[in-house]
Each structure stands twice: as structure tokens, then as C-alpha cells.
mmCIF file of all heavy atoms in Angstrom:
data_model
loop_
_atom_site.group_PDB
_atom_site.id
_atom_site.type_symbol
_atom_site.label_atom_id
_atom_site.label_comp_id
_atom_site.label_asym_id
_atom_site.label_seq_id
_atom_site.Cartn_x
_atom_site.Cartn_y
_atom_site.Cartn_z
ATOM 1 N N ALA A 4 -20.744 -129.043 33.734
ATOM 2 C CA ALA A 4 -21.304 -130.017 32.800
ATOM 3 C C ALA A 4 -20.258 -130.480 31.796
ATOM 4 O O ALA A 4 -20.143 -131.681 31.497
ATOM 5 C CB ALA A 4 -22.501 -129.406 32.077
ATOM 6 N N LEU A 5 -19.482 -129.533 31.269
ATOM 7 C CA LEU A 5 -18.438 -129.914 30.319
ATOM 8 C C LEU A 5 -17.393 -130.818 30.967
ATOM 9 O O LEU A 5 -16.958 -131.810 30.380
ATOM 10 C CB LEU A 5 -17.767 -128.665 29.764
ATOM 11 C CG LEU A 5 -18.439 -127.979 28.567
ATOM 12 C CD1 LEU A 5 -17.744 -126.671 28.242
ATOM 13 C CD2 LEU A 5 -18.422 -128.898 27.342
ATOM 14 N N LEU A 6 -16.963 -130.475 32.163
ATOM 15 C CA LEU A 6 -15.962 -131.279 32.869
ATOM 16 C C LEU A 6 -16.480 -132.687 33.146
ATOM 17 O O LEU A 6 -15.726 -133.665 33.083
ATOM 18 C CB LEU A 6 -15.562 -130.585 34.173
ATOM 19 C CG LEU A 6 -14.711 -129.316 34.005
ATOM 20 C CD1 LEU A 6 -14.682 -128.517 35.305
ATOM 21 C CD2 LEU A 6 -13.294 -129.673 33.574
ATOM 22 N N ARG A 7 -17.747 -132.767 33.429
ATOM 23 C CA ARG A 7 -18.340 -134.088 33.692
ATOM 24 C C ARG A 7 -18.306 -134.944 32.439
ATOM 25 O O ARG A 7 -17.951 -136.132 32.476
ATOM 26 C CB ARG A 7 -19.782 -133.894 34.171
ATOM 27 C CG ARG A 7 -20.385 -135.112 34.828
ATOM 28 C CD ARG A 7 -21.772 -134.798 35.314
ATOM 29 N NE ARG A 7 -22.290 -135.849 36.174
ATOM 30 C CZ ARG A 7 -23.555 -135.948 36.549
ATOM 31 N NH1 ARG A 7 -24.427 -135.025 36.136
ATOM 32 N NH2 ARG A 7 -23.961 -136.924 37.331
ATOM 33 N N VAL A 8 -18.644 -134.328 31.288
ATOM 34 C CA VAL A 8 -18.617 -135.056 30.025
ATOM 35 C C VAL A 8 -17.192 -135.462 29.659
ATOM 36 O O VAL A 8 -16.949 -136.541 29.119
ATOM 37 C CB VAL A 8 -19.240 -134.188 28.906
ATOM 38 C CG1 VAL A 8 -19.009 -134.825 27.537
ATOM 39 C CG2 VAL A 8 -20.720 -133.995 29.162
ATOM 40 N N MET A 9 -16.235 -134.602 29.969
ATOM 41 C CA MET A 9 -14.833 -134.880 29.638
ATOM 42 C C MET A 9 -14.219 -135.970 30.508
ATOM 43 O O MET A 9 -13.111 -136.432 30.238
ATOM 44 C CB MET A 9 -13.997 -133.603 29.782
ATOM 45 C CG MET A 9 -14.286 -132.551 28.738
ATOM 46 S SD MET A 9 -13.290 -131.063 29.061
ATOM 47 C CE MET A 9 -13.845 -129.988 27.737
ATOM 48 N N GLY A 10 -14.898 -136.350 31.581
ATOM 49 C CA GLY A 10 -14.369 -137.403 32.442
ATOM 50 C C GLY A 10 -13.546 -136.905 33.612
ATOM 51 O O GLY A 10 -12.814 -137.687 34.236
ATOM 52 N N CYS A 11 -13.635 -135.601 33.930
ATOM 53 C CA CYS A 11 -12.915 -135.070 35.091
ATOM 54 C C CYS A 11 -13.454 -135.723 36.365
ATOM 55 O O CYS A 11 -14.656 -135.964 36.496
ATOM 56 C CB CYS A 11 -13.101 -133.554 35.142
ATOM 57 S SG CYS A 11 -12.165 -132.742 36.439
ATOM 58 N N ASP A 12 -12.602 -136.014 37.302
ATOM 59 C CA ASP A 12 -13.008 -136.729 38.512
ATOM 60 C C ASP A 12 -13.588 -135.800 39.572
ATOM 61 O O ASP A 12 -14.631 -136.103 40.170
ATOM 62 C CB ASP A 12 -11.801 -137.471 39.102
ATOM 63 C CG ASP A 12 -11.189 -138.440 38.105
ATOM 64 O OD1 ASP A 12 -11.870 -139.422 37.767
ATOM 65 O OD2 ASP A 12 -10.058 -138.203 37.669
ATOM 66 N N LEU A 13 -12.886 -134.683 39.852
ATOM 67 C CA LEU A 13 -13.258 -133.803 40.969
ATOM 68 C C LEU A 13 -13.250 -132.352 40.506
ATOM 69 O O LEU A 13 -12.535 -131.982 39.570
ATOM 70 C CB LEU A 13 -12.272 -133.957 42.131
ATOM 71 C CG LEU A 13 -12.075 -135.362 42.701
ATOM 72 C CD1 LEU A 13 -10.792 -135.421 43.513
ATOM 73 C CD2 LEU A 13 -13.258 -135.741 43.579
ATOM 74 N N ILE A 14 -14.038 -131.521 41.207
ATOM 75 C CA ILE A 14 -14.013 -130.089 40.947
ATOM 76 C C ILE A 14 -13.991 -129.344 42.278
ATOM 77 O O ILE A 14 -14.442 -129.851 43.306
ATOM 78 C CB ILE A 14 -15.228 -129.618 40.115
ATOM 79 C CG1 ILE A 14 -16.536 -129.919 40.859
ATOM 80 C CG2 ILE A 14 -15.221 -130.232 38.731
ATOM 81 C CD1 ILE A 14 -17.768 -129.314 40.203
ATOM 82 N N GLN A 15 -13.462 -128.123 42.245
ATOM 83 C CA GLN A 15 -13.566 -127.217 43.372
ATOM 84 C C GLN A 15 -13.610 -125.802 42.832
ATOM 85 O O GLN A 15 -13.060 -125.504 41.773
ATOM 86 C CB GLN A 15 -12.424 -127.398 44.368
ATOM 87 C CG GLN A 15 -11.058 -126.939 43.916
ATOM 88 C CD GLN A 15 -9.974 -127.152 44.968
ATOM 89 O OE1 GLN A 15 -9.379 -128.222 45.040
ATOM 90 N NE2 GLN A 15 -9.709 -126.124 45.763
ATOM 91 N N GLY A 16 -14.270 -124.921 43.543
ATOM 92 C CA GLY A 16 -14.399 -123.543 43.087
ATOM 93 C C GLY A 16 -15.607 -122.883 43.717
ATOM 94 O O GLY A 16 -16.346 -123.488 44.512
ATOM 95 N N PHE A 17 -15.851 -121.635 43.351
ATOM 96 C CA PHE A 17 -16.927 -120.864 43.965
ATOM 97 C C PHE A 17 -18.306 -121.417 43.629
ATOM 98 O O PHE A 17 -19.277 -121.138 44.343
ATOM 99 C CB PHE A 17 -16.832 -119.400 43.542
ATOM 100 C CG PHE A 17 -15.745 -118.648 44.244
ATOM 101 C CD1 PHE A 17 -14.623 -118.221 43.562
ATOM 102 C CD2 PHE A 17 -15.829 -118.377 45.602
ATOM 103 C CE1 PHE A 17 -13.611 -117.539 44.212
ATOM 104 C CE2 PHE A 17 -14.822 -117.695 46.267
ATOM 105 C CZ PHE A 17 -13.709 -117.274 45.574
ATOM 106 N N LEU A 18 -18.433 -122.167 42.524
ATOM 107 C CA LEU A 18 -19.721 -122.797 42.234
ATOM 108 C C LEU A 18 -20.133 -123.726 43.368
ATOM 109 O O LEU A 18 -21.326 -123.823 43.713
ATOM 110 C CB LEU A 18 -19.632 -123.585 40.923
ATOM 111 C CG LEU A 18 -20.897 -124.359 40.536
ATOM 112 C CD1 LEU A 18 -22.034 -123.394 40.221
ATOM 113 C CD2 LEU A 18 -20.629 -125.284 39.350
ATOM 114 N N ILE A 19 -19.170 -124.398 43.966
ATOM 115 C CA ILE A 19 -19.450 -125.306 45.082
ATOM 116 C C ILE A 19 -19.447 -124.525 46.386
ATOM 117 O O ILE A 19 -20.448 -124.487 47.107
ATOM 118 C CB ILE A 19 -18.408 -126.432 45.143
ATOM 119 C CG1 ILE A 19 -18.286 -127.112 43.778
ATOM 120 C CG2 ILE A 19 -18.750 -127.420 46.246
ATOM 121 C CD1 ILE A 19 -19.573 -127.683 43.243
ATOM 122 N N ALA A 20 -18.329 -123.893 46.706
ATOM 123 C CA ALA A 20 -18.201 -123.090 47.931
ATOM 124 C C ALA A 20 -16.840 -122.412 47.923
ATOM 125 O O ALA A 20 -15.879 -122.959 47.381
ATOM 126 C CB ALA A 20 -18.340 -123.965 49.181
ATOM 127 N N PRO A 21 -16.737 -121.228 48.505
ATOM 128 C CA PRO A 21 -15.413 -120.623 48.704
ATOM 129 C C PRO A 21 -14.686 -121.338 49.840
ATOM 130 O O PRO A 21 -15.230 -122.266 50.453
ATOM 131 C CB PRO A 21 -15.756 -119.180 49.079
ATOM 132 C CG PRO A 21 -17.074 -119.288 49.770
ATOM 133 C CD PRO A 21 -17.819 -120.389 49.061
ATOM 134 N N ALA A 22 -13.460 -120.928 50.115
ATOM 135 C CA ALA A 22 -12.748 -121.461 51.277
ATOM 136 C C ALA A 22 -13.454 -120.990 52.541
ATOM 137 O O ALA A 22 -13.697 -119.791 52.712
ATOM 138 C CB ALA A 22 -11.296 -120.994 51.265
ATOM 139 N N LEU A 23 -13.779 -121.934 53.431
ATOM 140 C CA LEU A 23 -14.599 -121.645 54.608
ATOM 141 C C LEU A 23 -13.832 -121.921 55.899
ATOM 142 O O LEU A 23 -13.070 -122.893 55.966
ATOM 143 C CB LEU A 23 -15.859 -122.518 54.590
ATOM 144 C CG LEU A 23 -16.774 -122.389 53.360
ATOM 145 C CD1 LEU A 23 -17.799 -123.516 53.351
ATOM 146 C CD2 LEU A 23 -17.458 -121.032 53.348
ATOM 147 N N PRO A 24 -14.039 -121.096 56.945
ATOM 148 C CA PRO A 24 -13.496 -121.445 58.266
ATOM 149 C C PRO A 24 -14.029 -122.802 58.703
ATOM 150 O O PRO A 24 -15.083 -123.256 58.231
ATOM 151 C CB PRO A 24 -13.998 -120.310 59.162
ATOM 152 C CG PRO A 24 -14.310 -119.184 58.232
ATOM 153 C CD PRO A 24 -14.761 -119.809 56.945
ATOM 154 N N ILE A 25 -13.335 -123.434 59.626
ATOM 155 C CA ILE A 25 -13.630 -124.819 59.962
ATOM 156 C C ILE A 25 -15.092 -125.047 60.364
ATOM 157 O O ILE A 25 -15.729 -126.000 59.907
ATOM 158 C CB ILE A 25 -12.671 -125.333 61.072
ATOM 159 C CG1 ILE A 25 -12.964 -126.783 61.425
ATOM 160 C CG2 ILE A 25 -12.697 -124.438 62.292
ATOM 161 C CD1 ILE A 25 -12.777 -127.755 60.296
ATOM 162 N N LEU A 26 -15.669 -124.177 61.191
ATOM 163 C CA LEU A 26 -17.055 -124.387 61.622
ATOM 164 C C LEU A 26 -18.029 -124.216 60.465
ATOM 165 O O LEU A 26 -18.998 -124.987 60.329
ATOM 166 C CB LEU A 26 -17.404 -123.432 62.768
ATOM 167 C CG LEU A 26 -16.597 -123.631 64.056
ATOM 168 C CD1 LEU A 26 -17.042 -122.635 65.128
ATOM 169 C CD2 LEU A 26 -16.753 -125.068 64.566
ATOM 170 N N SER A 27 -17.781 -123.234 59.596
ATOM 171 C CA SER A 27 -18.632 -123.057 58.412
ATOM 172 C C SER A 27 -18.480 -124.236 57.464
ATOM 173 O O SER A 27 -19.453 -124.670 56.830
ATOM 174 C CB SER A 27 -18.264 -121.753 57.694
ATOM 175 O OG SER A 27 -18.469 -120.633 58.531
ATOM 176 N N PHE A 28 -17.270 -124.773 57.360
ATOM 177 C CA PHE A 28 -17.057 -125.939 56.510
ATOM 178 C C PHE A 28 -17.835 -127.146 57.035
ATOM 179 O O PHE A 28 -18.425 -127.900 56.255
ATOM 180 C CB PHE A 28 -15.568 -126.257 56.427
ATOM 181 C CG PHE A 28 -15.245 -127.457 55.584
ATOM 182 C CD1 PHE A 28 -15.206 -127.359 54.205
ATOM 183 C CD2 PHE A 28 -14.993 -128.694 56.165
ATOM 184 C CE1 PHE A 28 -14.916 -128.466 53.413
ATOM 185 C CE2 PHE A 28 -14.709 -129.801 55.392
ATOM 186 C CZ PHE A 28 -14.668 -129.687 54.013
ATOM 187 N N LEU A 29 -17.844 -127.319 58.339
ATOM 188 C CA LEU A 29 -18.601 -128.437 58.917
ATOM 189 C C LEU A 29 -20.097 -128.286 58.642
ATOM 190 O O LEU A 29 -20.787 -129.279 58.354
ATOM 191 C CB LEU A 29 -18.330 -128.521 60.420
ATOM 192 C CG LEU A 29 -16.926 -128.992 60.820
ATOM 193 C CD1 LEU A 29 -16.716 -128.839 62.315
ATOM 194 C CD2 LEU A 29 -16.699 -130.439 60.393
ATOM 195 N N ARG A 30 -20.618 -127.053 58.731
ATOM 196 C CA ARG A 30 -22.037 -126.828 58.416
ATOM 197 C C ARG A 30 -22.310 -127.115 56.941
ATOM 198 O O ARG A 30 -23.343 -127.704 56.598
ATOM 199 C CB ARG A 30 -22.426 -125.391 58.756
ATOM 200 C CG ARG A 30 -22.614 -125.142 60.248
ATOM 201 C CD ARG A 30 -23.325 -123.824 60.509
ATOM 202 N NE ARG A 30 -22.510 -122.679 60.121
ATOM 203 C CZ ARG A 30 -21.652 -122.082 60.940
ATOM 204 N NH1 ARG A 30 -21.500 -122.522 62.185
ATOM 205 N NH2 ARG A 30 -20.950 -121.050 60.527
ATOM 206 N N PHE A 31 -21.370 -126.712 56.058
ATOM 207 C CA PHE A 31 -21.534 -127.001 54.632
ATOM 208 C C PHE A 31 -21.609 -128.510 54.400
ATOM 209 O O PHE A 31 -22.456 -128.990 53.626
ATOM 210 C CB PHE A 31 -20.372 -126.396 53.843
ATOM 211 C CG PHE A 31 -20.321 -126.840 52.401
ATOM 212 C CD1 PHE A 31 -21.075 -126.187 51.440
ATOM 213 C CD2 PHE A 31 -19.543 -127.928 52.014
ATOM 214 C CE1 PHE A 31 -21.042 -126.601 50.108
ATOM 215 C CE2 PHE A 31 -19.514 -128.343 50.695
ATOM 216 C CZ PHE A 31 -20.259 -127.680 49.742
ATOM 217 N N CYS A 32 -20.720 -129.265 55.032
ATOM 218 C CA CYS A 32 -20.719 -130.724 54.874
ATOM 219 C C CYS A 32 -22.037 -131.327 55.339
ATOM 220 O O CYS A 32 -22.605 -132.215 54.677
ATOM 221 C CB CYS A 32 -19.548 -131.327 55.641
ATOM 222 S SG CYS A 32 -17.924 -130.932 54.965
ATOM 223 N N ARG A 33 -22.537 -130.857 56.472
ATOM 224 C CA ARG A 33 -23.816 -131.379 56.987
ATOM 225 C C ARG A 33 -24.954 -131.074 56.016
ATOM 226 O O ARG A 33 -25.747 -131.964 55.670
ATOM 227 C CB ARG A 33 -24.105 -130.751 58.345
ATOM 228 C CG ARG A 33 -25.390 -131.240 59.010
ATOM 229 C CD ARG A 33 -25.783 -130.288 60.122
ATOM 230 N NE ARG A 33 -26.030 -128.940 59.588
ATOM 231 C CZ ARG A 33 -26.118 -127.851 60.341
ATOM 232 N NH1 ARG A 33 -25.956 -127.928 61.647
ATOM 233 N NH2 ARG A 33 -26.352 -126.666 59.779
ATOM 234 N N ASP A 34 -25.036 -129.828 55.564
ATOM 235 C CA ASP A 34 -26.121 -129.443 54.652
ATOM 236 C C ASP A 34 -26.015 -130.197 53.327
ATOM 237 O O ASP A 34 -27.038 -130.596 52.740
ATOM 238 C CB ASP A 34 -26.085 -127.932 54.389
ATOM 239 C CG ASP A 34 -26.367 -127.120 55.641
ATOM 240 O OD1 ASP A 34 -26.887 -127.713 56.624
ATOM 241 O OD2 ASP A 34 -26.060 -125.912 55.645
ATOM 242 N N HIS A 35 -24.791 -130.385 52.847
ATOM 243 C CA HIS A 35 -24.600 -131.092 51.579
ATOM 244 C C HIS A 35 -25.035 -132.551 51.704
ATOM 245 O O HIS A 35 -25.684 -133.083 50.792
ATOM 246 C CB HIS A 35 -23.135 -131.012 51.163
ATOM 247 C CG HIS A 35 -22.869 -131.591 49.799
ATOM 248 N ND1 HIS A 35 -23.029 -130.872 48.642
ATOM 249 C CD2 HIS A 35 -22.463 -132.840 49.405
ATOM 250 C CE1 HIS A 35 -22.726 -131.626 47.599
ATOM 251 N NE2 HIS A 35 -22.372 -132.825 48.042
ATOM 252 N N ARG A 36 -24.689 -133.188 52.811
ATOM 253 C CA ARG A 36 -25.104 -134.583 53.012
ATOM 254 C C ARG A 36 -26.623 -134.694 53.044
ATOM 255 O O ARG A 36 -27.210 -135.612 52.461
ATOM 256 C CB ARG A 36 -24.515 -135.125 54.319
ATOM 257 C CG ARG A 36 -23.040 -135.477 54.250
ATOM 258 C CD ARG A 36 -22.635 -136.363 55.425
ATOM 259 N NE ARG A 36 -22.962 -135.760 56.701
ATOM 260 C CZ ARG A 36 -22.148 -134.959 57.393
ATOM 261 N NH1 ARG A 36 -20.962 -134.665 56.887
ATOM 262 N NH2 ARG A 36 -22.510 -134.462 58.559
ATOM 263 N N GLU A 37 -27.272 -133.776 53.733
ATOM 264 C CA GLU A 37 -28.731 -133.816 53.832
ATOM 265 C C GLU A 37 -29.379 -133.588 52.475
ATOM 266 O O GLU A 37 -30.356 -134.252 52.110
ATOM 267 C CB GLU A 37 -29.214 -132.767 54.833
ATOM 268 C CG GLU A 37 -28.809 -133.067 56.273
ATOM 269 C CD GLU A 37 -29.190 -131.957 57.228
ATOM 270 O OE1 GLU A 37 -29.675 -130.899 56.747
ATOM 271 O OE2 GLU A 37 -28.993 -132.128 58.443
ATOM 272 N N ALA A 38 -28.811 -132.650 51.687
ATOM 273 C CA ALA A 38 -29.368 -132.379 50.361
ATOM 274 C C ALA A 38 -29.186 -133.573 49.437
ATOM 275 O O ALA A 38 -30.092 -133.934 48.665
ATOM 276 C CB ALA A 38 -28.711 -131.136 49.769
ATOM 277 N N GLU A 39 -28.046 -134.222 49.521
ATOM 278 C CA GLU A 39 -27.785 -135.369 48.663
ATOM 279 C C GLU A 39 -28.638 -136.571 49.061
ATOM 280 O O GLU A 39 -29.045 -137.367 48.209
ATOM 281 C CB GLU A 39 -26.302 -135.735 48.706
ATOM 282 C CG GLU A 39 -25.401 -134.772 47.955
ATOM 283 C CD GLU A 39 -25.766 -134.657 46.487
ATOM 284 O OE1 GLU A 39 -25.752 -135.701 45.796
ATOM 285 O OE2 GLU A 39 -26.086 -133.552 46.040
ATOM 286 N N ALA A 40 -28.905 -136.688 50.351
ATOM 287 C CA ALA A 40 -29.719 -137.820 50.814
ATOM 288 C C ALA A 40 -31.142 -137.738 50.279
ATOM 289 O O ALA A 40 -31.784 -138.771 50.016
ATOM 290 C CB ALA A 40 -29.735 -137.853 52.339
ATOM 291 N N SER A 41 -31.655 -136.537 50.093
ATOM 292 C CA SER A 41 -33.029 -136.371 49.614
ATOM 293 C C SER A 41 -33.109 -136.241 48.098
ATOM 294 O O SER A 41 -34.199 -136.248 47.530
ATOM 295 C CB SER A 41 -33.649 -135.117 50.245
ATOM 296 O OG SER A 41 -32.899 -133.960 49.916
#
């Protein structure tokens, strides 16, 4: 929330996801798209 107010463009970290193997990363992308669409 603070970073958003400060105008930061992008974030990465464990709040979003840890580093994932390629297949797990693809599943994360799919689930994230579906969650954002709804």
C-alpha cells in the first residue's frame, strides 16, 4: 500500500509469489489472470 501511494511501478516478493519452477509459474499466471478477470 505504501509503495502504491509513493508511485512505485512494480513489486516482487513473497507477498506475490516466491521463485517458481516453470510449470508452477505458468499455473500461477493462469490463476492470476482468472482472479483478475473476476
Side-chain angles (χ1 to χ4, degrees):
L5 275 173
L6 289 165
R7 196 177 191 192
V8 170
M9 291 177 181
C11 185
D12 302 293
L13 304 162
I14 60 172
Q15 70 180 87
F17 284 111
L18 177 66
I19 308 303
L23 302 168
I25 180 62
L26 297 181
S27 299
F28 179 80
L29 289 172
R30 284 194 293 271
F31 170 85
C32 292
R33 182 196 61 194
D34 295 344
H35 186 85
R36 284 196 304 270
E37 293 175 354
E39 287 301 302
S41 59

